[in-house]
Amino acid sequence: MRKCLIVILLLGLQLPLFGQTAPPVIAPKPVTEEYFGVKITDPYRNVENLEDPEVKAWMKAQAEQARNTLDAIPGRQGLIDKMNEFDQRRAARITSLKILETDRYFYLKTRPQDQQPKLYYRDGYKGQETLLFDPEKYNREKAYSLNNFSPSPDGSKVAVCVSEKGAELGQIIFINTQTQTLYPERLDRAWFNGSWLPDNKTFSYTPANSHNVQDPNARLNTKAMLHTLGTFQNKDKDALSSTSYPSMGIHPEEYPKVNYDRNTKLVYGRLNTVSRYLKIYYAPASQLTLPPVMWQPLFSPEQEITSFVSDSTHIYFITSKDAPHQKVMRMPLSAIDVNKAEVVVAENPEEAIDDQKLTITKDGIYFVRTKNGVEAMLYFVPRTGGEPQKIELPQAAGSINLLAKSPKSSELWVTISGWTTDAKRYYFDLASHKFTSQPLSTEAEYPEYADMVVEEVMIPSHDGVKVPVSLIYKKGTPKNGTAPVLIYGYGAYSTSVNPAFSPSFLLWAQYGVLAIAHVRGGGELGEAWHKAGQKATKPNTWKDLIASAEYLIKNNYTGPQKIAIYGASAGGILIGRAMTERPDLFAVAIPKVGCLNAVRMEESPNGPVNVPEFGTVKKEDECKALIEMDAYLHIKEGIKYPATLITAGFNDPRVIAWQPAKFAARLMASNKSDKPILFLTDYEAGHGIGDAKQKQFENLADVYSFGLWQTGVPNFQTVTLGNK
């Protein structure tokens, strides 16, 4: 039966694939386990062994067929060509800007001829630009990407974290800014970049235990290390770990990190998981050289503190404790005690504070509030206190980014963007309340999007709660139920999908309606919105997406079998459960490097650190929540499922490749429809972070061309028999 289905699909593509044999079917080897009285049969547990020759052969054959199928879609290359054309219009795109107190700028720059961003620096806004590091030339035999970088406080050196094939786990190298030369040492197994100490020669970082992304112990019981420039890595000292400080009760899955704060002259010992609630200790920086460090508690998770900034006298922090839309508080350095902190900005029940946009200058604090995650507003509070002052912006803002040089300086830069408006960077002068354009990236025109309509609507979900949905389409698009719709969503970690301009992402709106569903689990409406899509409440996440699709049909934006849904990573839960709960509602489902087997997540290297967001099988209520959000377990025999494109990165350190592989195997075996189920593993990539620019274009073209093909857009149809 399975071979017959595959033959039908190949006939549907005719010429490009004619004569190919069907890829092998992976045989199930069921394992049955009991979770708190519930028996669960896992038919493809064998696929978790990515080194099994049978599994490897099956994955490679599926990848080959998927690649051939996607390449055969007529409109795919046209999408790639358009993305490259868009890219050629901008002479340079600058990102990841860091401005030191010395006024030295460090940033990543990408030109049309670059596949990877390169690291540059300059002194001042108008200073002469100097190339510091080009990852494309670092090792010509291997494809490296630059993950992140950290300049020393005086700007004389910069640490750069690089990795190959999208693994993210790589090495830290050090560059002398003046000579543009590399220091001889390499810090191996680097997972995150680190922090410089005030001597400009000591660097803290947290290495993994091994390079193997499949090693379950690679990220357990890690240590924050101190490296002195000019020494070997094996001489590095343990600054914070469960080994060196057993009394702190550091859990195996917590990543210790040590950061120096030049404003308070303190070092912070962070114990990180995916939880947004900070767990941090502090100590005088001088103690790092005279261990043991007398770590004192700064923030604990029950205080629900999500971010903080400091100056020389106070620590300002954002908390959702008794404030679902969040509030700003502060405490003096002379008396560090969260319980005695004072409120600086009270909660506003209509607007949520964006906890990543709290910035401090000599004059006071700036912060951003958002309404429904799509309308951003800038506020200021003087150091002397008082009510927040709303600052009138030079243009409407879907999202706002802030950058201040130092709490000792008044300088502030504000970057504003929207769904269809390119990001614009301004220098803001508080005294005159004047915004002056100070672009870094070169500007470009996109007349293709001049006639775009943006609608922000509130859609009632299954329980009556209103869900924000952003709709983008060409002016004049008829509302007669015929437009193909792509619904994108995420819904996890309190991450908001804020308006940002991407000409490539907007390409779908040239053919139909592009919808962004701001489902529960995200942070668009504050912390309460996050908690309403987490663990036991996780079903709200995919039910919000289902309600969004039903609304679009009811209001004639689109019709049945015209909707594609797309999400990545943790968004795989959203897409996987929406399509398994309502397979009749969607024409296409695309979970990209998606979490699709939540019950088994803890058995993967990146699973334990995700327990705060999704739960653990060790607790009955959380285990039942994981079962409910597990798309793989909800696939049923004999159901007509939508056309599905499932992707995996073989070097993925975040969602191990066997999660999407198991989902694909079971879906192929269970599906009763004649629609294609494609499983594409990229053996030269990971989670998508660090992909070359061309690969990014090709990956998005895969998503869009598959969706446009299966929603019936004429230019994407193969000349075949029965393209459903």
Side-chain angles (χ1 to χ4, degrees):
M1 172 63 78
R2 187 64 208 143
K3 287 184 179 179
C4 291
L5 283 176
I6 293 172
V7 169
I8 290 170
L9 296 180
L10 296 184
L11 286 173
L13 288 164
Q14 267 197 351
L15 292 178
L17 297 178
F18 185 76
Q20 282 194 358
T21 58
V25 175
I26 189 78
K29 297 179 182 178
V31 173
T32 300
E33 294 174 317
E34 188 170 310
Y35 297 89
F36 297 100
V38 178
K39 288 189 176 181
I40 300 290
T41 297
D42 182 347
Y44 290 95
R45 179 69 61 86
N46 51 308
V47 175
E48 292 184 13
N49 182 3
L50 296 175
E51 297 304 316
D52 182 331
E54 183 184 7
V55 173
K56 291 171 75 173
W58 174 76
M59 289 179 67
K60 283 186 176 293
Q62 289 292 337
E64 182 179 355
Q65 190 210 19
R67 183 71 276 146
N68 290 338
T69 302
L70 293 166
D71 288 348
I73 300 172
R76 177 180 177 273
Q77 187 58 48
L79 292 173
I80 296 171
D81 293 343
K82 191 64 179 178
M83 293 177 199
N84 277 304
E85 182 195 326
F86 285 149
D87 187 57
Q88 292 290 327
R89 295 182 194 177
R90 194 189 299 274
R93 181 172 182 265
I94 290 177
T95 59
S96 305
L97 173 65
K98 299 178 183 181
I99 305 177
L100 305 187
E101 289 186 16
T102 62
D103 205 35
R104 179 160 284 182
Y105 285 50
F106 289 87
Y107 51 89
L108 300 180
K109 176 179 172 181
T110 311
R111 303 165 301 168
Q113 63 266 40
D114 299 329
Q115 284 302 307
Q116 292 284 352
K118 307 179 192 308
L119 176 64
Y120 293 79
Y121 85 96
R122 67 171 77 161
D123 289 320
Y125 176 65
K126 296 183 178 180
Q128 183 177 348
E129 182 178 77
T130 300
L131 173 64
L132 272 180
F133 180 74
D134 181 351
E136 295 179 40
K137 294 181 179 178
Y138 178 60
N139 186 326
R140 296 187 182 276
E141 296 179 0
K142 297 179 180 179
Y144 273 88
S145 60
L146 194 164
N147 298 335
N148 45 55
F149 65 92
S150 177
S152 62
D154 65 358
S156 65
K157 309 169 187 71
V158 60
V160 177
C161 186
V162 297
S163 64
E164 59 174 314
K165 295 184 178 181
E168 297 180 60
L169 191 66
Q171 57 184 222
I172 294 173
I173 60 177
F174 297 93
I175 304 170
N176 184 302
T177 308
Q178 183 176 354
T179 63
Q180 293 94 57
T181 57
L182 298 179
Y183 286 84
E185 66 258 46
R186 305 287 184 271
L187 304 186
D188 196 30
R189 308 183 312 281
W191 178 241
F192 303 104
N193 212 346
S195 172
W196 292 90
L197 269 60
D199 63 3
N200 293 289
K201 66 178 183 180
T202 307
F203 188 78
S204 70
Y205 70 107
T206 304
N209 298 319
S210 81
H211 276 289
N212 186 356
V213 297
Q214 300 176 38
D215 181 357
N217 297 310
R219 276 158 274 168
L220 296 178
N221 298 303
T222 54
K223 300 177 180 181
M225 306 296 289
L226 292 181
H227 175 77
T228 300
L229 210 59
T231 64
F232 292 107
Q233 186 175 14
N234 60 10
K235 299 296 183 182
D236 293 350
K237 298 176 182 178
D238 180 352
L240 181 60
S241 71
S242 58
T243 302
S244 57
Y245 295 94
S247 63
M248 292 176 69
I250 301 174
H251 299 149
E253 69 276 10
E254 291 177 327
Y255 297 135
K257 295 179 70 177
V258 172
N259 298 89
Y260 171 68
D261 179 9
R262 67 179 183 272
N263 301 318
T264 62
K265 312 301 183 188
L266 297 174
V267 288
Y268 300 125
R270 297 170 177 255
L271 301 177
N272 292 345
T273 63
V274 300
S275 174
R276 60 196 310 264
Y277 300 147
L278 302 180
K279 184 177 181 182
I280 300 181
Y281 295 79
Y282 74 96
S286 58
Q287 289 190 6
L288 280 179
T289 58
L290 299 169
V293 178
M294 304 304 292
W295 294 109
Q296 300 294 318
L298 181 65
F299 302 132
S300 58
E302 61 270 14
Q303 294 164 337
E304 296 191 14
I305 293 161
T306 54
S307 68
F308 71 103
V309 295
S310 63
D311 57 22
S312 59
T313 60
H314 287 84
I315 295 175
Y316 295 78
F317 59 88
I318 294 177
T319 176
S320 59
K321 185 76 170 178
D322 302 319
H325 286 77
Q326 307 211 114
K327 59 188 175 184
V328 182
M329 305 184 73
R330 75 174 184 179
M331 56 187 175
L333 289 175
S334 58
I336 294 177
D337 186 345
V338 171
N339 296 321
K340 296 180 181 178
E342 63 176 329
V343 175
V344 178
V345 179
E347 179 189 20
N348 182 329
E350 302 300 320
E351 301 169 0
I353 293 176
D354 188 328
D355 57 15
Q356 301 305 308
K357 310 291 173 60
L358 178 66
T359 305
I360 189 166
T361 71
K362 182 174 70 174
D363 307 303
I365 63 167
Y366 294 87
F367 66 97
V368 174
R369 281 188 174 130
T370 63
K371 186 174 182 180
N372 299 331
V374 295
E375 181 184 348
M377 293 144 284
L378 177 61
Y379 290 89
F380 171 73
V381 176
R383 282 183 180 271
T384 53
E387 288 297 312
Q389 304 170 15
K390 187 174 182 180
I391 296 173
E392 185 176 349
L393 298 171
Q395 65 186 77
S399 59
I400 298 172
N401 286 313
L402 304 176
L403 178 63
K405 181 186 290 186
S406 162
K408 301 174 185 177
S409 167
S410 293
E411 292 175 286
L412 179 78
W413 292 268
V414 180
T415 302
I416 300 171
S417 61
W419 294 121
T420 59
T421 55
D422 205 352
K424 293 188 179 297
R425 180 177 181 266
Y426 298 93
Y427 175 81
F428 176 66
D429 179 71
L430 179 64
S432 63
H433 274 233
K434 182 180 179 182
F435 286 86
T436 303
S437 177
Q438 273 198 8
L440 284 171
S441 301
T442 53
E443 297 183 352
E445 297 295 328
Y446 301 93
E448 297 89 343
Y449 300 126
D451 63 347
M452 284 292 157
V453 175
V454 178
E455 279 190 74
E456 303 291 357
V457 297
M458 299 296 288
I459 290 174
S461 192
H462 68 104
D463 53 0
V465 171
K466 296 291 184 68
V467 179
V469 178
S470 303
L471 303 176
I472 308 167
Y473 52 89
K474 290 176 70 171
K475 185 178 180 180
T477 298
K479 293 183 182 178
N480 59 4
T482 63
V485 168
L486 177 72
I487 307 178
Y488 173 81
Y490 188 68
Y493 304 117
S494 192
T495 298
S496 300
V497 186
N498 299 129
F501 180 72
S502 168
S504 295
F505 184 62
L506 285 175
L507 274 174
W508 185 282
Q510 295 285 344
Y511 302 94
V513 178
L514 177 61
I516 298 91
H518 305 281
V519 298
R520 279 173 279 188
E524 285 86 348
L525 278 76
E527 181 60 3
W529 198 247
H530 173 219
K531 290 179 178 178
Q534 186 185 41
K535 296 183 180 178
T537 60
K538 192 64 181 172
N540 287 327
T541 301
W542 63 83
K543 290 181 186 294
D544 288 350
L545 180 65
I546 290 169
S548 300
E550 292 175 330
Y551 173 92
L552 294 173
I553 293 172
K554 181 180 178 181
N555 288 273
N556 292 320
Y557 288 91
T558 190
Q561 296 307 304
K562 287 287 185 178
I563 298 177
I565 54 175
Y566 166 46
S569 191
I573 295 173
L574 171 70
I575 303 306
R577 284 299 284 115
M579 67 173 283
T580 51
E581 185 159 309
R582 286 295 306 277
D584 60 304
L585 189 57
F586 309 109
V588 185
I590 307 173
K592 180 182 177 184
V593 292
C595 175
L596 295 161
N597 188 197
V599 165
R600 295 286 295 169
M601 194 187 315
E602 283 176 273
E603 299 302 316
S604 68
N606 202 42
V609 75
N610 275 282
V611 165
E613 179 67 19
F614 303 112
T616 175
V617 294
K618 298 172 185 176
K619 297 179 181 179
E620 183 172 2
D621 58 337
E622 294 186 5
C623 180
K624 290 181 178 178
L626 286 166
I627 293 171
E628 184 60 26
M629 72 180 78
D630 192 311
Y632 168 73
L633 296 180
H634 282 81
I635 296 172
K636 297 178 181 178
E637 294 280 348
I639 298 295
K640 293 182 177 180
Y641 286 105
T644 309
L645 171 60
I646 306 148
T647 74
F650 198 75
N651 304 312
D652 195 336
R654 300 179 185 236
V655 176
I656 196 165
W658 55 250
Q659 280 210 51
K662 289 174 69 178
F663 182 81
R666 190 169 193 177
L667 187 65
M668 290 174 180
S670 304
N671 182 36
K672 191 181 178 182
S673 79
D674 60 353
K675 296 192 173 182
I677 308 294
L678 304 183
F679 176 42
L680 178 63
T681 301
D682 191 332
Y683 290 88
E684 300 297 318
H687 205 60
I689 298 170
D691 281 352
K693 181 170 61 182
Q694 191 63 27
K695 176 171 281 192
Q696 294 176 36
F697 294 163
E698 291 169 357
N699 289 344
L700 184 58
D702 286 344
V703 171
Y704 279 14
S705 61
F706 185 76
L708 293 166
W709 169 32
Q710 290 297 312
T711 54
V713 175
N715 292 345
F716 293 83
Q717 301 310 300
T718 52
V719 183
T720 68
L721 310 170
N723 265 326
K724 289 188 179 179

